[in-house]
Amino acid sequence: MSKYYMLLLLTSALWGGNFVASKLLVAHASPLTLTFIRWTIAVLFLFPIVLKKERSIRLQTRGIVPLIAMGLSGVVLFNVLMFQALRYTSADHVGLISTLNPMAIALVAYVVYRDKLTLRQWLAMIVSLIGVLIVMTHGQLHRLADVNIGDLWMIAAVIMWGVYSACAKAVMTSYSPLAATFWSGVFGVIGLLPFLSSFSVHDVNVSFSLALLYTSVGATVLAMFLWNVGVKRVGATTAGMFLNFNPLFTALFAYILLGETLTLPQWIGSFVTIAGVILFTKK
């Protein structure tokens, strides 16, 4: 069992490093361009994997509408908003705000599917939100009006991930997670084609190429594969706890590669946020 815990820890590290690699990318291209390139590469790598595992990549008419919605919300809007956020704020902040994903998923499911939320979950959301606000304001909550615009872009991205997950719930009755990821990626790439003429990349170098390969293959294809293996072996609840390591890996990699640091109030806010997420996801 311990080897699967290590796989899940590696998955968390891959996802945590994604924001650091993406921070390096935003200096070379627009969010639309980066999203298109990232997911085009990811789809090309996913194609043979899906073909081998599923024996077919046939598109079913019944699930096409929610698949398109997944592509537009999770592939296009989430990634564009995330890259936009990284143009203005730190990878540390983006990584921490992303921990609100489970709550965004639950809130959208509450609105769309009328899924119930317990009193503990509502309280946990308040705790995590307070933690994020502490980080965003550097511990000075009275300065909410001065919050970095990049942090707000990332909150919008988290909301889009909630929408993506709600659409995924409708898709999973007809598709496996692997096939759903592939087809949502395909529709996301297609949705970006009208903007192709505005795409541009400048100052391409080795670090840009490695960061792009990391986000496209390492943090998308490989991380998804390892995550599915981990969930299958230890269960979704146990696997989900490893997501709490994501912002810690982001902070570590951001410190090593970008020189980013968090102040003491921000560290306190980070742990308050993570505590709220653990409380929220606890069964």
Side-chain angles (χ1 to χ4, degrees):
M1 190 68 71
S2 60
K3 68 177 180 180
Y4 296 112
Y5 292 157
M6 292 304 297
L7 283 180
L8 287 166
L9 200 60
L10 175 58
T11 305
S12 178
L14 287 170
W15 277 334
N18 177 57
F19 301 117
V20 178
S22 297
K23 180 69 174 179
L24 294 171
L25 292 174
V26 295
H28 298 271
S30 70
L32 280 172
T33 305
L34 292 172
T35 300
F36 179 80
I37 298 174
R38 175 187 181 181
W39 273 94
T40 298
I41 295 172
V43 165
L44 291 174
F45 270 85
L46 280 169
F47 178 77
I49 298 173
V50 174
L51 197 59
K52 181 178 180 180
K53 297 282 288 185
E54 305 287 324
R55 305 293 179 89
S56 171
I57 56 169
R58 184 168 54 187
L59 187 61
Q60 301 177 40
T61 306
R62 181 173 55 178
I64 193 169
V65 173
L67 272 176
I68 292 172
M70 282 179 69
L72 295 178
S73 59
V75 174
V76 177
L77 290 175
F78 172 80
N79 282 274
V80 169
L81 290 169
M82 178 199 70
F83 284 124
Q84 180 73 358
L86 285 165
R87 294 176 67 188
Y88 299 98
T89 193
S90 67
D92 283 329
H93 280 208
V94 167
L96 179 68
I97 294 170
S98 73
T99 62
L100 299 179
N101 280 340
M103 300 176 192
I105 293 169
L107 283 172
V108 174
Y110 174 78
V111 173
V112 176
Y113 297 109
R114 299 301 178 190
D115 289 357
K116 293 183 178 179
L117 290 170
T118 65
L119 177 60
R120 173 178 54 78
Q121 288 176 311
W122 283 111
L123 290 174
M125 283 191 281
I126 294 172
V127 169
S128 284
L129 182 59
I130 291 173
V132 168
L133 291 177
I134 291 173
V135 173
M136 290 167 61
T137 60
H138 296 255
Q140 301 178 31
L141 293 177
H142 62 280
R143 296 183 58 189
L144 278 176
D146 300 326
V147 165
N148 189 311
I149 187 64
D151 294 338
L152 299 181
W153 282 119
M154 190 57 201
I155 289 175
V158 166
I159 294 171
M160 281 300 104
W161 191 258
V163 174
Y164 168 83
S165 301
C167 296
K169 182 176 181 179
V171 167
M172 293 307 172
T173 58
S174 305
Y175 293 88
S176 68
L178 185 62
T181 301
F182 170 75
W183 280 113
S184 62
V186 169
F187 285 120
V189 170
I190 293 172
L192 287 166
L193 288 177
F195 305 97
L196 200 58
S197 62
S198 66
F199 293 169
S200 64
V201 181
H202 55 86
D203 299 328
V204 175
N205 52 29
V206 174
S207 63
F208 171 82
S209 301
L210 290 176
L212 188 59
L213 191 63
Y214 177 90
T215 60
S216 303
V217 181
T220 304
V221 179
L222 179 59
M224 182 202 65
F225 172 75
L226 294 177
W227 173 256
N228 286 336
V229 171
V231 169
K232 182 178 180 180
R233 295 295 182 179
V234 307
T237 301
T238 301
M241 296 303 294
F242 283 83
L243 296 177
N244 297 309
F245 288 102
N246 290 12
L248 301 181
F249 279 117
T250 299
L252 175 63
F253 296 146
Y255 173 74
I256 295 172
L257 299 173
L258 303 175
E260 292 183 4
T261 57
L262 293 175
T263 63
L264 179 60
Q266 288 180 304
W267 275 114
I268 293 172
S270 297
F271 285 112
V272 170
T273 301
I274 295 170
V277 173
I278 293 173
L279 179 63
F280 182 87
T281 56
K282 185 179 179 181
K283 295 294 183 181

